[in-house]
Amino acid sequence: MILVDKNTKVIVQGATGKMGSAHTKRMIEYGTNIVGGTTPGKGGETIHGKPVFDTVLEAVEKTGATCSCIFVPPYLALDAGMEALDAGIKLLVLITEGMPPQDTAKLVAQVKAKDAKLIGPNCPGIITPGQSLIGILPGSIFKSGPVGMVSKSGTLTYEIALALTESGLGQSTCVGTGGDPIKGLDYKEVLSMFEADPATQVIVMIGEIGGNAEEDAADYIKANIKKPVIGFIAGQTAPPGKRMGHAGAIISGGKGTAESKLESFRSNGVLVAMTPKEVAQQAAEALKQPVKAK
Amino acid sequence: MILVDKNTKVIVQGATGKMGSAHTKRMIEYGTNIVGGTTPGKGGETIHGKPVFDTVLEAVEKTGATCSCIFVPPYLALDAGMEALDAGIKLLVLITEGMPPQDTAKLVAQVKAKDAKLIGPNCPGIITPGQSLIGILPGSIFKSGPVGMVSKSGTLTYEIALALTESGLGQSTCVGTGGDPIKGLDYKEVLSMFEADPATQVIVMIGEIGGNAEEDAADYIKANIKKPVIGFIAGQTAPPGKRMGHAGAIISGGKGTAESKLESFRSNGVLVAMTPKEVAQQAAEALKQPVKAK
Amino acid sequence: MNLYEYEAKRIFAEAGIPVPPAARITKPEELAKVHFGYPLTLKCQVMAGGRGKAGGIKFAKDLNEGKSLVKDLMALTIKGSKTESLLVEPKMPIARELYLAVTLDRNRGCAIFIASAEGGIEIESSDNVLTEPIPYPYHGFAGRKLAQKLGLKGAVLNKVADIANKLYKVFENKDLDLAEINPLVITTGDDVVALDGKIIVNDDSIARQKSFAGMEESHLSELSVRERRAKMAGLNLVELEGNIGILCNGAGLTMATMDMVKGFGGDPGNFLDAGGGSDQKKTLEALELVNENPNVDVILLNILGGITACDEVAGALVQFMKRHPERKMIVRLRGNNQDIAEKMLSESGLKLYPDLEEAVKAAVEAAKSAGKKPVGAGKS
Amino acid sequence: MNLYEYEAKRIFAEAGIPVPPAARITKPEELAKVHFGYPLTLKCQVMAGGRGKAGGIKFAKDLNEGKSLVKDLMALTIKGSKTESLLVEPKMPIARELYLAVTLDRNRGCAIFIASAEGGIEIESSDNVLTEPIPYPYHGFAGRKLAQKLGLKGAVLNKVADIANKLYKVFENKDLDLAEINPLVITTGDDVVALDGKIIVNDDSIARQKSFAGMEESHLSELSVRERRAKMAGLNLVELEGNIGILCNGAGLTMATMDMVKGFGGDPGNFLDAGGGSDQKKTLEALELVNENPNVDVILLNILGGITACDEVAGALVQFMKRHPERKMIVRLRGNNQDIAEKMLSESGLKLYPDLEEAVKAAVEAAKSAGKKPVGAGKS
């Protein structure tokens, strides 16, 4: 597994809001080590049996949390992220959708300066099945196993996880990096972690149209990743110039097409799957092969 | 000597302005290794035989400068300093008086982030006699020798340097750190450099009312400096609550008095002189003594 | 949100970026009131790009020619985008053209200048392009550095540096995705002027930008009526040519479902991502939007409930099927509260597909047998 | 530049910081127009601190008492500072008082919050003070963190956090040396209100702060007429009680010269730092300012020319001595262009002292022999 395990101490920023509260409950039920929440002005209350603090600093001092799952409105997300970093949080899981990208850019710069990690924004979060679920993923779909997943998408990740799980393949960790053009962790960083993770034997990388992160990742895989990687790209039928739901999912100026990404996968040794079931089939196949020597 | 010597490559930001031009000429005449100047829009011209560039980056790329002497109007000083840091300059000598202190605070933060050094603002600059004069000090007053000087003041530094020189004592390096409350290098940093500098045998520290940097430095000296230090404080007759010329020279709320500073000198083993001539006498005396063991 | 040229230039002018004197007109007779002296430039105000090549920019040597051009240009539609008005400006004595823009760079994760010593170009296809990361917090040296790298000198260097700094400030203060000046013109008198301007406002930031309040609805002109309605309802709809209407939750899953439809021989009629956590009301509105597309013969609903509760979706389905019992529906519904949803739908006779591939195949089959209507026909 | 309480609170209100409703009056009859309901608070608007202890704050239970208090308070002078007007506010139902300020910290080199859970205090002499470095760029969590460290809870925590954030923004946007709320009041209804406000504008930044344009001259009320004139001329003058007028270039040298005068038994009549690079005209103005102080018997001019050119000073001296041939002058002039200066002054008969100590001793001697006027007498 990477990034999170059953010992990861997690606080929830915005824990008493509607969404924050609902998912705090789910995370606790899943078994995530939720140690508290924050909502300014609600310090001293409890939420689903966990203490609520006024500030992240106070929460960190009193609980030893190292990870924060952030559910705050989009225009407050920058401040929430900055507060987490200031308080020493090292892993930020930022669920919020609709964060202004210039705010994200400012947060990303500070994340780098503080040597922390950011997942998101506009992401489903991260799960190490059976140990820790941080975010909004439906835990019941996942099970523990050898497949590491990294994806820009939420529900598509669930779909593919479901296909894997139903075909008997569990997951080491699944990371949803988010659908925004500006974001924290990208493919390459997650891939390198999976490469180093003994529990991960095969990697599934789920991309979509827009930008060139998949192409970049494919180059990186060829040079650095020995474990088999199965690639999937959504949006092969998307028309150019249209934003397909995710802020980042747009083909513009002829760039960011599915063809370009698939071609780059193929030419860099990434196995290509065209449906969620095919992902599971390829993963099963790859698990039977010996590890590539590079 | 510390910080600068005859090899230090210096550019002058604002080299074609009235003050910049006059002092560029003087510095060149003194023998300072001035390699060029900058004035946006005047790139390609020359000033006193040195090339003028549009940007610091260009100047650094073409001359290898590592130090910049900044003569720009107060409200442009922050931008000029940021430009120098961005271009890789490691020593900024910021002569400008009247820089808004909040601007200085922003510059100081970036200086730290870039691991650079800032002398000033509102300072006379730095001189390693016979090698390099960066700033507006009158070179003829100084001569090379064993006394390291650090001072908040300009003309008072000259007065004391004159007293030293006239009594036959030259200087290793003299640093005028500037009269503003927020500034770059402070006593402690300069003292530690003098301590490590083989050419410096005795240190003269010139302070004035306002703040508690002298008290801090005295504590630091007791703990860290083995070379003899002679302290001088200006403003023993200054009334409280009045700003005495320098933005930082003010006794407020009963703090920053000359008495407090002198007392702190005396109780931490700093020799106290009451006139410039006494500084020279004490320095001469100290040079005869063996180095303290601590 | 894309702004018209005249709006972008108004914002530039407020920020102190020099723009030509200009008048905005819609009728030939208004031209008489324009006092810049001829020749004049007349420019169609349209959202679409490639305006110059499409004949949307003309020069008038006198009032008579001008009036006739106003009439012609106002009638012009460029790439489906109607001319909203004309911007009239004096013709500039151009010595040189540059390109200057600020945008966010996905890979670097920060704002960048994009600049070129060649202006009036298609920046995507130019080789002579400079990209410069912009430091945050911003300082004015960034503009000078850019101007110097563009090879500029003297007064022009300082003017371009100043414009670059102001353009960045506009970009930051107004939460833009793009602030572009193309071309940025150096006149024969060494003035530097923004001759054309393009601004894209970041959609997620409009709500905190008071100066754009209320503009959004009038600036969605490239969207179909239904796409616009979807946007106002917080749904992501993109209409296509096929006859299988697609409704999913989540952008990636919606795209993947479209791709599978195509892969199994069908033709997607739309992309509709209902987003995460949509309730009954929103889902119903989404179903209606898909249903109203006259191309659509079959609706494929694919929900994998994470945040979205399947029972909310089922509630919408029950209502929708009451309203439109004739509509062919293929439904796959899994995840959160799936059991409740199944119970709710058990009386409707609707077959639920647990497997996505099976559902897609069924939708493609159903679409093929549905009237064999030719693809693309009947689009409103 | 210090602002009056009413000016500080106007700035706070513009920034969204809650302040009490208030009226500013100068005459008893204006009180009838104030409609807050009694009891009212009447506060002298003076620059000096310690206003409360000096009787500058009174409470009126009705209009009659109020009118008589207005008359009394308007006549009040506190530490030499005349009452400029009165600020009238309803008396607040105070549950608790806090202290909150933003200033620059010399040692840390950054902005800090200074706060205390006790308000209405002399912050310098309080033990219960929190200082918190402020991150740059600023984010709103800083205010929350501060409020939490103050031990606040619930709605009050959020209100104080919001006020702290706004106070910082005022501090930054207006280039202040100090933005202080003392006390910041929590009312019995859990409202949080800035009951008193103090703003010190940074003198070096006023020229770029348009909202303070033209205010400087009317806000130097603690200065003497000559100190004010010096400030307007770009000179630093502080008048003292002694009879030796001192004029130097550079703050440190001026202070050191004063100290030496005192050390050798004399009494400095002023601090006058002519700054670096003063020309003939500015130096002459400086000499005149020192000369006009009726305490002064002897003028000690000490110039060590670095930027300052000695010949410019000599030119001023020649003119000054023509105007005031009776004035006893002790002059020490060294450095840049010293030779030219000496030539210019050679015909005047003025003795030049190359050595500072000799010059100081001579000035002290001359002052002692000059009429033996008692120290402090005749000060205007």
Side-chain angles (χ1 to χ4, degrees), chain D residues 263-299:
Chain D
F264 286 109
D267 253 312
N270 67 273
F271 165 98
L272 200 163
D273 163 20
S278 285
D279 60 8
Q280 182 169 330
K281 194 177 153 219
K282 201 166 165 187
T283 308
L284 186 59
E285 171 71 2
L287 281 164
E288 292 288 0
L289 280 163
V290 175
N291 189 54
E292 283 172 30
N293 180 346
N295 286 357
V296 164
D297 292 322
V298 176
I299 297 179

CSV table of all heavy atoms in Angstrom, one decimal, chain D residues 263-299:
chain,number,residue,atom,x,y,z
D,263,GLY,N,28.5,64.8,27.3
D,263,GLY,CA,29.6,64.2,27.9
D,263,GLY,C,30.7,65.2,28.3
D,263,GLY,O,31.3,65.1,29.4
D,264,PHE,N,30.8,66.3,27.6
D,264,PHE,CA,31.8,67.3,27.9
D,264,PHE,C,31.2,68.4,28.6
D,264,PHE,O,31.8,69.5,28.8
D,264,PHE,CB,32.5,67.8,26.6
D,264,PHE,CG,33.5,66.8,26.0
D,264,PHE,CD1,33.2,66.1,24.8
D,264,PHE,CD2,34.7,66.5,26.7
D,264,PHE,CE1,34.1,65.1,24.3
D,264,PHE,CE2,35.6,65.6,26.2
D,264,PHE,CZ,35.3,64.9,25.0
D,265,GLY,N,30.0,68.3,29.1
D,265,GLY,CA,29.5,69.2,30.1
D,265,GLY,C,28.5,70.2,29.5
D,265,GLY,O,28.1,71.2,30.2
D,266,GLY,N,28.2,70.1,28.2
D,266,GLY,CA,27.3,71.0,27.6
D,266,GLY,C,25.8,70.5,27.6
D,266,GLY,O,25.6,69.4,28.1
D,267,ASP,N,25.0,71.3,27.0
D,267,ASP,CA,23.5,70.9,26.9
D,267,ASP,C,23.0,71.0,25.5
D,267,ASP,O,22.9,72.2,25.0
D,267,ASP,CB,22.7,71.7,27.8
D,267,ASP,CG,22.3,70.9,29.0
D,267,ASP,OD1,21.8,69.8,28.9
D,267,ASP,OD2,22.5,71.4,30.2
D,268,PRO,N,22.7,70.0,24.8
D,268,PRO,CA,22.2,70.1,23.4
D,268,PRO,C,20.8,70.8,23.4
D,268,PRO,O,20.0,70.5,24.2
D,268,PRO,CB,22.0,68.6,23.0
D,268,PRO,CG,22.8,67.8,24.0
D,268,PRO,CD,22.8,68.6,25.2
D,269,GLY,N,20.7,71.7,22.4
D,269,GLY,CA,19.5,72.5,22.2
D,269,GLY,C,18.6,71.8,21.2
D,269,GLY,O,17.4,72.1,21.1
D,270,ASN,N,19.2,70.9,20.5
D,270,ASN,CA,18.3,70.2,19.5
D,270,ASN,C,19.1,69.1,18.9
D,270,ASN,O,20.3,69.0,19.0
D,270,ASN,CB,17.8,71.1,18.4
D,270,ASN,CG,19.0,71.6,17.5
D,270,ASN,OD1,19.7,72.6,17.9
D,270,ASN,ND2,19.3,70.8,16.4
D,271,PHE,N,18.3,68.2,18.2
D,271,PHE,CA,18.9,67.2,17.3
D,271,PHE,C,18.5,67.7,15.9
D,271,PHE,O,17.3,67.9,15.6
D,271,PHE,CB,18.2,65.8,17.6
D,271,PHE,CG,18.4,64.8,16.5
D,271,PHE,CD1,19.4,63.8,16.6
D,271,PHE,CD2,17.5,64.7,15.5
D,271,PHE,CE1,19.5,62.8,15.7
D,271,PHE,CE2,17.6,63.7,14.5
D,271,PHE,CZ,18.6,62.7,14.6
D,272,LEU,N,19.4,67.9,15.0
D,272,LEU,CA,19.0,68.2,13.6
D,272,LEU,C,19.9,67.4,12.7
D,272,LEU,O,21.1,67.7,12.5
D,272,LEU,CB,19.1,69.7,13.3
D,272,LEU,CG,18.2,70.1,12.0
D,272,LEU,CD1,17.9,71.6,12.0
D,272,LEU,CD2,18.8,69.6,10.7
D,273,ASP,N,19.3,66.4,12.1
D,273,ASP,CA,20.0,65.6,11.1
D,273,ASP,C,19.6,66.1,9.7
D,273,ASP,O,18.4,66.0,9.3
D,273,ASP,CB,19.6,64.2,11.3
D,273,ASP,CG,19.9,63.3,10.1
D,273,ASP,OD1,20.8,63.6,9.3
D,273,ASP,OD2,19.3,62.2,10.0
D,274,ALA,N,20.6,66.7,9.0
D,274,ALA,CA,20.3,67.2,7.7
D,274,ALA,C,20.2,66.1,6.6
D,274,ALA,O,19.9,66.4,5.5
D,274,ALA,CB,21.3,68.3,7.3
D,275,GLY,N,20.5,64.9,7.0
D,275,GLY,CA,20.4,63.8,6.1
D,275,GLY,C,21.6,63.7,5.1
D,275,GLY,O,22.5,64.6,5.2
D,276,GLY,N,21.6,62.7,4.3
D,276,GLY,CA,22.8,62.6,3.4
D,276,GLY,C,22.5,63.4,2.1
D,276,GLY,O,21.4,63.5,1.6
D,277,GLY,N,23.6,64.0,1.6
D,277,GLY,CA,23.5,64.7,0.3
D,277,GLY,C,22.7,66.0,0.3
D,277,GLY,O,22.3,66.5,-0.7
D,278,SER,N,22.6,66.7,1.5
D,278,SER,CA,21.9,68.0,1.5
D,278,SER,C,22.7,69.0,0.8
D,278,SER,O,23.9,69.1,0.9
D,278,SER,CB,21.7,68.4,3.0
D,278,SER,OG,20.7,67.7,3.5
D,279,ASP,N,22.0,69.8,0.0
D,279,ASP,CA,22.7,70.9,-0.8
D,279,ASP,C,22.7,72.2,0.0
D,279,ASP,O,22.3,72.2,1.2
D,279,ASP,CB,22.1,71.1,-2.1
D,279,ASP,CG,20.6,71.5,-2.0
D,279,ASP,OD1,20.1,71.7,-0.9
D,279,ASP,OD2,19.9,71.5,-3.0
D,280,GLN,N,23.2,73.2,-0.6
D,280,GLN,CA,23.4,74.5,0.0
D,280,GLN,C,22.0,75.0,0.6
D,280,GLN,O,22.0,75.5,1.7
D,280,GLN,CB,23.9,75.5,-1.0
D,280,GLN,CG,24.2,76.9,-0.4
D,280,GLN,CD,25.0,77.7,-1.4
D,280,GLN,OE1,25.8,77.2,-2.2
D,280,GLN,NE2,24.8,79.0,-1.4
D,281,LYS,N,21.0,74.9,-0.2
D,281,LYS,CA,19.7,75.5,0.2
D,281,LYS,C,19.1,74.8,1.4
D,281,LYS,O,18.7,75.4,2.4
D,281,LYS,CB,18.7,75.3,-1.0
D,281,LYS,CG,17.5,76.2,-0.9
D,281,LYS,CD,16.6,76.0,-2.1
D,281,LYS,CE,15.1,76.3,-1.7
D,281,LYS,NZ,14.2,75.4,-2.3
D,282,LYS,N,19.2,73.5,1.4
D,282,LYS,CA,18.7,72.7,2.5
D,282,LYS,C,19.5,72.9,3.8
D,282,LYS,O,19.0,73.0,4.9
D,282,LYS,CB,18.7,71.2,2.1
D,282,LYS,CG,17.7,70.3,2.9
D,282,LYS,CD,17.6,69.0,2.2
D,282,LYS,CE,17.0,68.0,3.1
D,282,LYS,NZ,17.0,66.6,2.5
D,283,THR,N,20.8,73.0,3.6
D,283,THR,CA,21.7,73.2,4.7
D,283,THR,C,21.4,74.6,5.3
D,283,THR,O,21.4,74.8,6.6
D,283,THR,CB,23.2,73.1,4.3
D,283,THR,OG1,23.3,71.9,3.6
D,283,THR,CG2,24.1,73.2,5.5
D,284,LEU,N,21.2,75.6,4.5
D,284,LEU,CA,20.9,77.0,5.0
D,284,LEU,C,19.6,76.9,5.8
D,284,LEU,O,19.5,77.5,6.9
D,284,LEU,CB,20.8,77.9,3.8
D,284,LEU,CG,20.6,79.4,4.1
D,284,LEU,CD1,21.8,79.9,5.0
D,284,LEU,CD2,20.5,80.3,2.9
D,285,GLU,N,18.6,76.3,5.3
D,285,GLU,CA,17.3,76.1,6.0
D,285,GLU,C,17.5,75.5,7.3
D,285,GLU,O,16.9,75.9,8.3
D,285,GLU,CB,16.3,75.3,5.1
D,285,GLU,CG,15.0,74.9,5.8
D,285,GLU,CD,14.0,76.1,6.0
D,285,GLU,OE1,14.4,77.2,5.6
D,285,GLU,OE2,13.0,75.9,6.7
D,286,ALA,N,18.3,74.5,7.3
D,286,ALA,CA,18.7,73.8,8.6
D,286,ALA,C,19.3,74.7,9.6
D,286,ALA,O,19.0,74.7,10.8
D,286,ALA,CB,19.5,72.6,8.3
D,287,LEU,N,20.3,75.5,9.1
D,287,LEU,CA,21.0,76.5,10.0
D,287,LEU,C,19.9,77.5,10.6
D,287,LEU,O,20.0,77.8,11.7
D,287,LEU,CB,22.0,77.2,9.2
D,287,LEU,CG,23.4,76.4,9.0
D,287,LEU,CD1,24.2,77.1,7.9
D,287,LEU,CD2,24.1,76.4,10.3
D,288,GLU,N,19.1,77.9,9.7
D,288,GLU,CA,18.1,78.9,10.2
D,288,GLU,C,17.2,78.3,11.2
D,288,GLU,O,16.8,79.0,12.2
D,288,GLU,CB,17.2,79.4,9.0
D,288,GLU,CG,18.0,80.3,7.9
D,288,GLU,CD,18.3,81.7,8.5
D,288,GLU,OE1,18.0,82.0,9.6
D,288,GLU,OE2,18.9,82.4,7.7
D,289,LEU,N,16.8,77.1,11.0
D,289,LEU,CA,15.9,76.4,12.0
D,289,LEU,C,16.6,76.3,13.4
D,289,LEU,O,16.0,76.5,14.4
D,289,LEU,CB,15.5,75.0,11.5
D,289,LEU,CG,14.4,75.0,10.5
D,289,LEU,CD1,14.3,73.7,9.8
D,289,LEU,CD2,13.0,75.3,11.1
D,290,VAL,N,17.8,75.9,13.4
D,290,VAL,CA,18.6,75.8,14.6
D,290,VAL,C,18.7,77.2,15.2
D,290,VAL,O,18.5,77.4,16.4
D,290,VAL,CB,20.0,75.2,14.4
D,290,VAL,CG1,20.8,75.2,15.7
D,290,VAL,CG2,19.8,73.8,13.9
D,291,ASN,N,19.0,78.2,14.4
D,291,ASN,CA,19.2,79.6,14.9
D,291,ASN,C,18.0,80.2,15.5
D,291,ASN,O,18.1,81.0,16.4
D,291,ASN,CB,19.7,80.4,13.7
D,291,ASN,CG,20.2,81.8,14.1
D,291,ASN,OD1,21.1,81.9,14.9
D,291,ASN,ND2,19.6,82.8,13.5
D,292,GLU,N,16.8,79.8,15.0
D,292,GLU,CA,15.6,80.5,15.5
D,292,GLU,C,15.2,80.0,16.8
D,292,GLU,O,14.3,80.5,17.5
D,292,GLU,CB,14.5,80.2,14.5
D,292,GLU,CG,14.6,81.1,13.3
D,292,GLU,CD,13.6,80.8,12.2
D,292,GLU,OE1,12.5,80.2,12.5
D,292,GLU,OE2,13.9,81.0,11.0
D,293,ASN,N,15.7,78.9,17.3
D,293,ASN,CA,15.4,78.3,18.6
D,293,ASN,C,16.0,79.3,19.6
D,293,ASN,O,17.2,79.5,19.7
D,293,ASN,CB,16.0,76.9,18.8
D,293,ASN,CG,15.7,76.3,20.1
D,293,ASN,OD1,15.3,77.0,21.1
D,293,ASN,ND2,16.0,75.0,20.2
D,294,PRO,N,15.1,80.0,20.4
D,294,PRO,CA,15.6,81.0,21.3
D,294,PRO,C,16.5,80.5,22.4
D,294,PRO,O,17.2,81.3,23.0
D,294,PRO,CB,14.3,81.6,21.9
D,294,PRO,CG,13.2,80.6,21.7
D,294,PRO,CD,13.6,79.8,20.5
D,295,ASN,N,16.4,79.2,22.7
D,295,ASN,CA,17.3,78.6,23.7
D,295,ASN,C,18.8,78.6,23.2
D,295,ASN,O,19.7,78.6,24.1
D,295,ASN,CB,17.0,77.1,23.9
D,295,ASN,CG,15.7,77.0,24.7
D,295,ASN,OD1,15.1,78.0,25.1
D,295,ASN,ND2,15.3,75.7,24.9
D,296,VAL,N,19.0,78.6,21.9
D,296,VAL,CA,20.3,78.3,21.4
D,296,VAL,C,21.2,79.5,21.5
D,296,VAL,O,20.9,80.6,21.1
D,296,VAL,CB,20.2,77.8,19.9
D,296,VAL,CG1,21.5,77.9,19.2
D,296,VAL,CG2,19.7,76.4,19.9
D,297,ASP,N,22.4,79.3,22.1
D,297,ASP,CA,23.4,80.4,22.2
D,297,ASP,C,24.6,80.1,21.1
D,297,ASP,O,25.2,81.0,20.6
D,297,ASP,CB,24.0,80.4,23.6
D,297,ASP,CG,23.0,80.9,24.6
D,297,ASP,OD1,22.2,81.8,24.2
D,297,ASP,OD2,23.0,80.3,25.7
D,298,VAL,N,24.8,78.9,20.9
D,298,VAL,CA,26.0,78.5,20.1
D,298,VAL,C,25.5,77.4,19.1
D,298,VAL,O,24.7,76.6,19.5
D,298,VAL,CB,27.1,77.9,20.9
D,298,VAL,CG1,28.2,77.4,20.0
D,298,VAL,CG2,27.6,78.8,21.9
D,299,ILE,N,26.0,77.5,17.9
D,299,ILE,CA,25.6,76.5,16.9
D,299,ILE,C,26.9,75.6,16.6
D,299,ILE,O,27.9,76.2,16.3
D,299,ILE,CB,25.1,77.0,15.6
D,299,ILE,CG1,23.8,77.8,15.8
D,299,ILE,CG2,24.9,75.9,14.5
D,299,ILE,CD1,23.2,78.4,14.6
